[in-house]
Amino acid sequence: MLKEITVKELATELMARIDTAKGIDCCKDEIKMLAKLAGEKLPNEKVTVNWKER
């Protein structure tokens, strides 16, 4: 079912899933969409990450 929600709602849901150790595999398409949106709307914003090499 497709449902339109705000970016804040999506971010809140993803954070809750991560915090409760629920899987986020179900949200793969949504995470990709969020990453695309962030790249377009916030291209120069900085974020601190714990980067792990492959």
Side-chain angles (χ1 to χ4, degrees), residues 3-15:
K3 178 180 174 183
E4 190 173 272
I5 62 173
T6 66
V7 171
K8 183 173 182 165
E9 289 171 319
L10 176 58
T12 300
E13 176 63 23
L14 291 173
M15 291 298 291

Side-chain angles (χ1 to χ4, degrees), residues 50-54:
N50 185 6
W51 199 262
K52 297 185 179 168
E53 296 296 325
R54 291 182 185 186

Side-chain angles (χ1 to χ4, degrees), residues 5 7 10-11 13-15 20-22 24 28 34-35 39 41 43 46-48 52:
I5 62 173
V7 171
L10 176 58
E13 176 63 23
L14 291 173
M15 291 298 291
T20 59
K22 287 185 180 176
I24 56 173
K28 217 179 217 183
L34 183 59
K41 302 281 185 176
K46 301 287 184 185
V47 61
T48 302
K52 297 185 179 168

